[in-house]
Amino acid sequence: MTNIRQELIQYGKKLVETDLTKGTGGNLSVFDREKKQMAITPSGIDFFDIKEEDIVIMDMDGHVVEGHSLPSSEWYMHLIQYQTRDDIDAIIHAHTTYATVLACLREPLPATHYMIAVAGKDVRVADYATYGTKELAVNAAKAMENRRAVLLANHGILAGAKDLLNAFNIVEEVEYCSKIYCIAKSFGNPFVLPEEEMELMAEKFKTYGQRK
Ligand SMILES: [Zn+2]
């Protein structure tokens, strides 16, 4: 898990450096499918202060098997994805600006820019629940079905992929598409790409999503 620990810290810092989140606002995890264990960032430690030993290892029942820190308060929101999806082995949750604007309006992100295809044909908004609750985890998982990202009402964004590189890419692209949509909406009515075009995009992005 050494590489995984380093990668979690690296992408946590990258979230802050690229202005996608602030301080401790966000959490990341990676799933080891063979060991059936999740490595997750700790609760309440600034990404620039997290050390490898602060990363918490949990089993599929949510028990801490390694680590002295408390796992992120959103640990179950990560774990439920690994319990139910076989296409997701890395998850990033963040409070990015424009995706959170839409989440606060409780407005889903439609396909106004084709790059949304990294997440799916649109990005839904999960029903509101208090942060850190099982209810929020269940709501998020439900709204993320057949998608690789979801907006959390009045909160932020959650994205999942096969690895952290691709999960990070999804967060970046959904944030970009949200920004474009918000700005376009302030000028008029953004055109939404038709269903058949998004089906074509889904085909094209099957390979794009595998980039290493
Ligand atoms: Zn959060």
Side-chain angles (χ1 to χ4, degrees), residues 6-201:
Q6 288 167 352
E7 238 195 308
L8 285 167
I9 295 169
Q10 179 202 332
Y11 278 98
K13 287 180 185 169
K14 205 173 165 189
L15 275 180
V16 180
E17 283 165 350
T18 54
D19 219 16
L20 286 167
T21 210
K22 286 192 167 46
T24 59
N27 32 76
L28 307 86
S29 72
V30 167
F31 185 50
D32 184 329
R33 209 160 272 280
E34 261 172 43
K35 286 188 187 163
K36 299 211 176 304
Q37 288 179 346
M38 164 176 85
I40 189 163
T41 49
S43 173
I45 306 180
D46 194 290
F47 286 124
F48 286 86
D49 296 328
I50 296 176
K51 292 175 183 64
E52 279 181 41
E53 59 266 31
D54 293 324
I55 300 294
V56 183
I57 313 293
M58 300 177 90
D59 65 18
M60 289 297 268
D61 299 318
H63 299 123
V64 173
V65 294
E66 222 183 299
H68 53 80
S69 300
L70 274 178
S72 157
S73 54
E74 302 292 7
W75 65 268
Y76 189 61
M77 190 164 71
H78 292 247
L79 193 69
I80 196 173
Q81 296 284 343
Y82 302 132
Q83 287 171 339
T84 56
R85 303 268 300 242
D86 55 17
D87 59 331
I88 290 176
D89 287 335
I91 289 169
I92 298 179
H93 161 58
H95 300 165
T96 68
T97 307
Y98 286 91
T100 307
V101 167
L102 291 176
C104 289
L105 293 165
R106 300 196 182 177
E107 196 173 315
L109 175 65
T112 44
H113 191 290
Y114 80 93
M115 280 306 293
I116 196 177
V118 295
K121 63 177 181 178
D122 55 18
V123 180
R124 306 183 194 104
V125 183
D127 288 342
Y128 182 81
T130 307
Y131 87 91
T133 59
K134 292 214 163 181
E135 194 189 351
L136 176 61
V138 170
N139 293 353
K142 186 166 172 271
M144 200 164 123
E145 269 173 25
N146 304 315
R147 302 287 187 276
R148 279 180 280 184
V150 66
L151 304 176
L152 308 172
N154 308 83
H155 185 160
I157 180 177
L158 182 77
K162 269 286 161 200
D163 52 34
L164 280 174
L165 175 79
N166 284 288
F168 189 88
N169 183 240
I170 294 168
V171 172
E172 264 187 322
E173 293 299 349
V174 172
E175 174 61 9
Y176 172 73
C177 293
S178 300
K179 183 176 181 178
I180 295 300
Y181 181 64
C182 288
I183 295 173
K185 262 211 119 169
S186 69
F187 285 94
N189 241 338
F191 190 89
V192 177
L193 290 167
E195 189 93 4
E196 54 272 27
E197 179 63 8
M198 288 317 292
E199 275 164 24
L200 176 68
M201 287 299 136

